[in-house]
Amino acid sequence: MNDQSEPSSSEALLGQRIRAQRSQLGWTLEQTSQATGLARSTLSKIENGLMSPTYDALIKLATGLQIDISELFEPNKNISGSGRRSITRKGSGQSHHTPYYDHTLLCNDMSNKDMIPFKTRILARSFDDFEDWSRHTGEEFVYVLAGDVELFTEFYEPVYLGPGDCWYIDSRMGHRVISVSADDAEVLWVSTTHPRTTKKI
């Protein structure tokens, strides 16, 4: 989480959307805290644009507020059916900054997706830059576009990866990634929004 004295425009807009959804549900901060698993003080800072939530926190917010993660950034356009399509042009996308990563969410105008794609610049430079492991429901695929990274996971030895390398993990396992090259590494990140389920026969 990132504390700042002055909220950025993107953080302020995100905070306004979260507050509006909470108001629509008729929930207090305490009720929202219970639904999302985030502390009241954390929710208050996010709503006031004073804290930029991590991806894990975004998932908790969307799940708790009963909306799609894309709706935290822009209204649901209610596009349904099998003929859905979304395009993001080069240099565009919905930016979201955290202390560890600069995310650009791609094709964010389509809600209710099974996958969340984003391009990420890795800002973290040390394992100790993180407060805790990142972990959430679903699975994720990451492809290194530029620079070199070190991937830390809860049950495996750290591994170095460079451009063209990739990994796929169960997101419930603790994980974190740092840049180890001179410039910040860039990756393409695709995360599912739900855990894998087993079909009953």
Side-chain angles (χ1 to χ4, degrees), residues 152-195:
F152 297 90
T153 49
E154 199 170 11
F155 308 127
Y156 298 88
E157 291 297 319
V159 61
Y160 288 90
L161 300 105
D165 294 335
C166 59
W167 69 88
Y168 193 111
I169 62 171
D170 184 323
S171 306
R172 295 171 297 180
M173 174 176 62
H175 55 281
R176 59 185 76 173
V177 187
I178 66 171
S179 285
V180 293
S181 46
D183 297 324
D184 294 335
E186 287 194 350
V187 303
L188 175 65
W189 213 312
V190 182
S191 177
T192 64
T193 56
H194 51 77

Side-chain angles (χ1 to χ4, degrees), residues 49-85:
L50 300 176
M51 179 178 283
S52 181
T54 63
Y55 184 71
D56 291 29
L58 289 176
I59 291 177
K60 290 179 180 179
L61 283 164
T63 302
L65 292 170
Q66 305 168 14
I67 58 176
D68 189 78
I69 193 169
S70 64
E71 294 176 65
L72 292 172
F73 298 94
E74 55 185 279
N76 183 358
K77 295 184 179 178
N78 292 319
I79 301 173
S80 60
S82 60
R84 303 194 302 161
R85 187 188 77 169

Side-chain angles (χ1 to χ4, degrees), residues 82-145:
S82 60
R84 303 194 302 161
R85 187 188 77 169
S86 175
I87 294 173
T88 299
R89 296 291 186 182
K90 180 180 179 180
S92 60
Q94 175 66 54
S95 297
H96 180 67
H97 173 80
T98 79
Y100 320 123
Y101 311 116
D102 263 339
H103 297 304
T104 301
L105 282 75
L106 307 173
C107 300
N108 202 54
D109 59 335
M110 181 185 290
S111 60
N112 298 313
K113 299 188 295 291
D114 288 334
M115 300 181 294
I116 304 294
F118 43 100
K119 187 172 73 171
T120 300
R121 186 160 59 93
I122 310 295
L123 306 178
R125 292 285 175 166
S126 166
F127 180 90
D128 295 326
D129 286 351
F130 297 82
E131 295 179 6
D132 198 359
W133 290 108
S134 175
R135 67 175 85 243
H136 46 86
T137 59
E139 300 173 336
E140 56 198 75
F141 168 80
V142 185
Y143 183 94
V144 183
L145 298 170

